[in-house]
Structure formats: structure tokens, C-alpha cells
Amino acid sequence: MKYFIGNWKMFGIPKSIEILNKINSFYSKDKNRNKYKVIFTPPYTLIESYSKYFKKKKINIGSQNCYQKDQFSSNTAAISSYMLRSVGAKYTLVGHSDNRSEGDTDSILKNKVYFALKNNLKVVFCVGENKTHKKNKKTFSVLKKQLTKVLERKFNKNNIIIAYEPIWSIGTGKIPSSQELTRTSSFIKKTLKNIFRSKSPPVLYGGSVDGNSVKLFKKINEIDGFLIGGASKSTKKFIDIIRNYYR
Ligand code: PGA
């Protein structure tokens, strides 16, 4: 199974559902539709209404983040996985670099993953090195730490997806070479196999994915799909990614 996940970040109001509605029409009729899943993570404000709308349709709705505690707490503005699940979210991103840079540590992320799984959300756990790590050839050690400090063998790996997003590639138009990405995704899968002592969960790539760059990535067998930021806000750009992937 392949995954195309659209991460809207701080984008969207109720009427933006039109964008998803058109993607859903394409998805429902696409001859390749059984080979992949389409998931969108709109902002918190839209999760309930969009989940209701797409309940019996093809697109799945998830959250961009979740709080590191179970159910209810006294943390102002916090939203737990329990609350997200109760309004229809099926997935949540955890550890996006935007949130790591705002203070999410490995131990916070471990709690986020734990409580998300406990509340029946599937977790899309994001990892990735920054420009300096890459320059200093620290990519593998950074990724290994991000994975091993958070994921545990006892977590249900069937409900976990990994998104590899090099920070230097997010929103910049810069992408890794296919050789680089093949090596890095193999390393991630090897690390995950060691953690779970069984087959690796799916590993997605994210960072400047569009209809063009996807042509390069589709040859890489280790990559099980994409986490798409900028291009997920446009019906045409998002559909182009899927079309070009299967062309
Ligand atoms: P981008 O963002 O596709 O705009 O580079 C990816 C992400 O941050 O998930």
C-alpha cells in the first residue's frame, strides 16, 4: 500500500473543503485507487466537519499534531488524541520539524506516540536531519537517535508510518538525489527492523514533493509514499503527483 498524505499546515477554512472534494472525485474513480491511500491533515478547526463529510467517502482525515497527555488535562489550548479521535480523526502526524523546532523533545514525542496509539489513532512519525547535520555527515546518527529514542518494540507497528523529511528540503524546492534517498530510506528501514524485530513499517518521503519531483522518487522501491505540504493545497498539483507516480 502507498500513501499520499496532504499536510495543510496553517491553511484552510470551511469552504476549502472544495479542494478535497475534487481530489476525492478523482481518487474514487482512479483505476489505481486500490494501490494507495489519501489522507489529509487540515488544521484542528476543520477536523470535525471534514471527518463527517468524508466519513463514507475515500479520503481519510487526520490531525497535524496531538498533545502528550491522555484524554483531558489542564493545559491551555492543548488537544489530546482522545479528543481528536472523538471528532473523527483517524491519523495524526507526530514530530513534524515545525513542532520539533517549537520545543517537541524526544521524550515529549514518545508520549505523543504512546497516547495517540492508545486512543486508536494511526501515527505518522516524522524524522529528518537539518542542513548542518547533512553538511557534517551526521544524517544517519541523527535519524537513528530520532527513531530509537521515541519508538519502542511494544508499540503496535501496524499503526505506525514513518515520514522522512529532510528539513533542508521542506518548502525549499531542494530535493535529495535518488541515490541519497535510496541510501537513507534503506537505513531508516534497517533501523526500524531492529526496533520492532520484524518487517519495517512504511517509510514515506516528504520535502518539496510535486508533480515533477515525484517522477524521480517513484523509482525508489524503499519509499512507500509521500507527505506533501505546499502542493496539497491545490487540487491540480496534488492530483498531478498521484498521476505522475503511476504513469
Ligand atoms: P513541502 O512540505 O511539501 O511544502 O516541502 C512538506 C512538509 O512539511 O510536510
Side-chain angles (χ1 to χ4, degrees), residues 6-245:
N7 173 19
W8 271 8
K9 309 188 185 184
M10 198 177 89
F11 169 83
I13 52 175
K15 74 171 186 204
S16 316
I17 201 162
E18 264 316 299
I19 299 169
L20 297 194
N21 211 2
K22 287 182 195 141
I23 293 171
N24 189 71
S25 305
F26 164 82
Y27 182 22
S28 328
K29 292 178 217 131
D30 185 13
K31 63 175 191 304
N32 294 307
R33 65 185 176 275
N34 295 325
K35 298 183 188 156
Y36 64 91
K37 274 194 166 50
V38 173
I39 300 152
F40 271 84
T41 61
Y44 287 133
T45 45
L46 300 174
I47 291 178
E48 179 166 21
S49 59
Y50 284 21
S51 295
K52 262 197 195 122
Y53 184 81
F54 287 109
K55 196 166 181 180
K56 297 211 168 97
K57 299 188 168 70
K58 293 277 287 173
I59 284 181
N60 292 284
I61 298 297
S63 173
Q64 298 172 15
N65 201 355
C66 60
Y67 199 67
Q68 59 268 23
K69 289 186 184 173
D70 204 2
Q71 301 209 346
F72 300 140
S73 75
S74 56
N75 302 85
T76 302
I79 295 176
S80 66
S81 290
Y82 172 78
M83 291 154 76
L84 292 165
R85 180 74 206 189
S86 78
V87 294
K90 298 265 162 42
Y91 292 80
T92 184
L93 306 184
V94 172
H96 189 281
S97 64
D98 289 343
N99 307 116
R100 288 179 188 263
S101 71
E102 286 164 358
D104 275 7
T105 60
D106 291 331
S107 75
I108 291 175
L109 294 174
K110 191 193 262 296
N111 287 326
K112 290 191 177 195
V113 174
Y114 176 80
F115 287 120
L117 294 171
K118 181 170 180 246
N119 286 290
N120 290 317
L121 292 180
K122 291 194 197 319
V123 169
V124 180
F125 182 57
C126 308
V127 296
E129 82 284 3
N130 66 26
K131 213 163 84 184
T132 314
H133 298 141
K134 181 173 155 63
K135 198 170 122 238
N136 297 332
K137 305 212 175 335
K138 292 274 185 284
T139 299
F140 283 13
S141 61
V142 166
L143 292 173
K144 187 170 179 181
K145 185 171 162 284
Q146 289 175 338
L147 292 166
T148 53
K149 293 269 180 204
V150 173
L151 300 176
E152 287 186 34
R153 191 182 176 189
K154 67 166 196 247
F155 291 168
N156 183 356
K157 76 163 176 100
N158 298 325
N159 291 334
I160 297 175
I161 296 170
I162 305 301
Y164 167 57
E165 300 205 296
I167 297 168
W168 50 270
S169 175
I170 296 175
T172 59
K174 295 198 179 94
I175 52 168
S177 68
S178 59
Q179 216 177 16
E180 257 174 348
L181 188 53
T182 305
R183 278 187 61 226
T184 313
S185 46
S186 304
F187 174 79
I188 292 172
K189 286 204 161 166
K190 200 179 85 192
T191 308
L192 291 165
K193 259 184 225 160
N194 281 333
I195 296 171
F196 294 110
R197 313 273 169 82
S198 68
K199 198 172 169 286
S200 164
V203 174
L204 319 186
Y205 168 78
S208 299
V209 176
D210 60 21
N212 246 330
S213 58
V214 79
K215 292 179 199 159
L216 234 162
F217 302 136
K218 70 178 181 187
K219 300 182 192 105
I220 306 175
N221 287 330
E222 283 79 7
I223 295 295
D224 302 298
F226 303 96
L227 180 53
I228 302 150
S232 72
K233 294 181 272 187
S234 143
T235 302
K236 183 184 177 308
K237 286 184 185 166
F238 193 83
I239 293 177
D240 273 353
I241 294 172
I242 301 177
R243 277 215 180 101
N244 289 346
Y245 186 79

